[in-house]
């Protein structure tokens, strides 16, 4: 079984910063990619940022230059540093891992989500 545990969400004023963390654990053979998605009320889930084991990163245009994704491969952990936060960044943020479990096929796994609220 594979688990993704997120932490670091909360409330922050516009212009502030937050750092999200997500640790993958359990029956993992190898991780190809890890990333963050978000879903605001009434909207579809969207990609925020992702990174591959080879170091490639992708960002949504709306967060480019404000958010930074990083990864500690040895700890199966991915981080999202969010700076210059805006009210439109308010959403539930979900960690995603594209990985090979010890038993079974490569697939996506999801965390439980962490709320980020940006307001004054």
């Amino acid at each position: 079984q594979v688990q993704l545990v997120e932490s670091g969400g909360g409330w922050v004023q516009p212009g502030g910063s937050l750092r999200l963390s997500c640790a993958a654990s359990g029956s993992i053979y190898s991780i190809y990619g890890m990333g963050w998605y978000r879903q605001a009320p009434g909207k579809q889930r969207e990609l925020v940022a992702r990174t591959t084991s080879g170091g490639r990163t992708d960002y949504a245009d709306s967060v480019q230059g404000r958010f930074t994704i990083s990864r500690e491969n040895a700890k199966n952990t991915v981080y999202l540093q969010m700076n210059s936060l805006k009210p439109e960044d308010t959403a539930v943020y979900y960690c995603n891992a594209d990985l090979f479990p010890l038993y079974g096929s490569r697939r996506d796994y999801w965390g439980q989500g962490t709320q980020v609220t940006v307001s004054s």
Side-chain angles (χ1 to χ4, degrees), residues 4-10 18-23 36 77-82 93-95 111-116:
L4 301 182
V5 179
E6 301 138 335
S7 61
L18 283 174
R19 188 188 192 215
L20 305 182
S21 301
C22 172
W36 294 92
T77 299
V78 65
Y79 306 96
L80 185 68
Q81 178 66 43
M82 304 185 293
Y93 284 69
Y94 295 92
C95 177
Q112 78 283 1
T114 185
Q115 177 71 45
V116 171

Side-chain angles (χ1 to χ4, degrees), residues 53-117:
S53 58
R56 192 191 82 191
T57 58
D58 296 303
Y59 293 92
D61 289 343
S62 60
V63 307
Q64 185 78 41
R66 300 188 296 121
F67 291 10
T68 302
I69 190 169
S70 59
R71 184 171 157 184
E72 280 191 78
N73 290 330
K75 294 184 178 181
N76 289 340
T77 299
V78 65
Y79 306 96
L80 185 68
Q81 178 66 43
M82 304 185 293
N83 298 329
S84 302
L85 281 160
K86 304 175 181 180
E88 50 264 43
D89 294 317
T90 296
V92 177
Y93 284 69
Y94 295 92
C95 177
N96 169 270
D98 174 8
L99 62 83
F100 294 91
L102 283 176
Y103 306 102
S105 303
R106 174 181 171 182
R107 52 159 283 197
D108 282 321
Y109 290 82
W110 295 90
Q112 78 283 1
T114 185
Q115 177 71 45
V116 171
T117 302

